[in-house]
Amino acid sequence: MSLTRFSQFGKKVVAVGRNYADHAKELGNAVPSKPLLFMKPSSCYITAGQSIEIPVGCTELHHEIELGAVIKKTCKRVPEADAMNYVGGYCLALDMTARDFQNEAKAKGHPWTMAKMFDTSLPVSDFIPLEKIQDPGNVRLWCKVNDALRQDGCTTDMIFTLPVLISYISQYFTLQEGDLILTGTPSGVGPVKSGDVITGGIPDVIEIKFNVEQRT
């Protein structure tokens, strides 16, 4: 299968929380000593032309711009030195987060399922070929809401690099062709409301645009 269709056949999304120190701090969280992982189902993908829907009962939906890495072949217990051999390409993604749901779950010691795994919570760009991103450890990411700049960061600030993440994740979960790793978001996350337009980009590589709607 072609990796350009990763959002249609990929089986899972492994996401990394608090992978930028400034983002951890802006939400009052400690900087992790090892990767903080959570999952998103493939049913939460949306692509160009589809809209982000605010979940029923959510009063604080946040944008989180991220670099995604698409896995090209079965990846299991790989060393860091070999990890990049399993990356087939990239995408630009939004890890939409129901922050009020997440804060409630954190306060109770519950999982983040409702905050992270709802339908339309993973808008993604088209597939980005490897040659378009020479160094995933030095990629600028920006995000705007209604043309106002909210996030402007670089993957140089990631706490755990992509090879470290792939190796760590693959010690526990077998990654398969089409699976996606979300590498975390820089600081500047914030709320959106129905009627807002979120845009994001990697300069000279790709841009995305998604409308926000209230689910009815």
Side-chain angles (χ1 to χ4, degrees):
M1 285 179 280
S2 171
L3 287 181
T4 60
R5 298 174 51 249
F6 70 95
S7 64
Q8 297 176 40
F9 73 86
K11 293 181 178 179
K12 59 184 171 293
V13 178
V14 184
V16 183
R18 305 174 193 169
N19 199 27
Y20 290 74
D22 286 347
H23 170 59
K25 292 173 183 176
E26 74 180 343
L27 295 181
N29 296 314
V31 175
S33 59
K34 59 184 178 181
L36 173 63
L37 306 180
F38 60 94
M39 308 284 276
K40 294 175 82 82
S42 58
S43 56
C44 64
Y45 277 119
I46 58 170
T47 55
Q50 297 177 283
S51 295
I52 299 164
E53 295 184 350
I54 301 172
V56 172
C58 175
T59 59
E60 191 178 4
L61 181 66
H62 280 203
H63 59 80
E64 297 188 3
I65 196 78
E66 311 205 6
L67 177 68
V70 182
I71 299 299
K72 69 178 180 181
K73 59 184 178 180
T74 299
C75 176
K76 184 174 184 177
R77 300 175 189 167
V78 302
E80 289 177 27
D82 294 337
M84 293 306 297
N85 293 327
Y86 294 83
V87 177
Y90 303 94
C91 72
L92 183 63
L94 286 164
D95 173 22
M96 299 304 298
T97 303
R99 193 72 69 200
D100 52 338
F101 292 180
Q102 186 183 40
N103 288 339
E104 180 181 0
K106 285 165 57 179
K108 295 178 178 179
H110 292 173
W112 298 354
T113 307
M114 295 293 289
K116 291 286 193 177
M117 297 175 66
F118 56 90
D119 288 351
T120 78
S121 65
L122 186 50
V124 293
S125 71
D126 289 342
F127 178 78
I128 302 171
L130 285 175
E131 59 268 23
K132 295 288 187 180
I133 293 181
Q134 297 296 319
D135 180 6
N138 186 17
V139 176
R140 182 185 163 215
L141 310 170
W142 61 263
C143 180
K144 297 180 180 180
V145 178
N146 304 328
D147 292 326
L149 186 64
R150 293 276 190 89
Q151 294 183 266
D152 188 1
C154 186
T155 60
T156 53
D157 294 325
M158 291 196 302
I159 298 167
F160 305 105
T161 64
L162 183 54
V164 169
L165 293 174
I166 293 170
S167 178
Y168 182 84
I169 291 166
S170 74
Q171 304 307 311
Y172 301 93
F173 314 125
T174 299
L175 296 167
Q176 298 164 295
E177 182 184 8
D179 285 352
L180 183 69
I181 295 176
L182 294 179
T183 58
T185 192
S187 62
V189 303
V192 293
K193 62 184 185 302
S194 183
D196 284 349
V197 178
I198 305 174
T199 52
I202 298 172
D204 303 318
V205 176
I206 206 159
E207 292 190 7
I208 56 174
K209 178 180 179 180
F210 290 93
N211 297 327
V212 181
E213 298 177 355
Q214 179 64 58
R215 180 184 162 194
T216 55

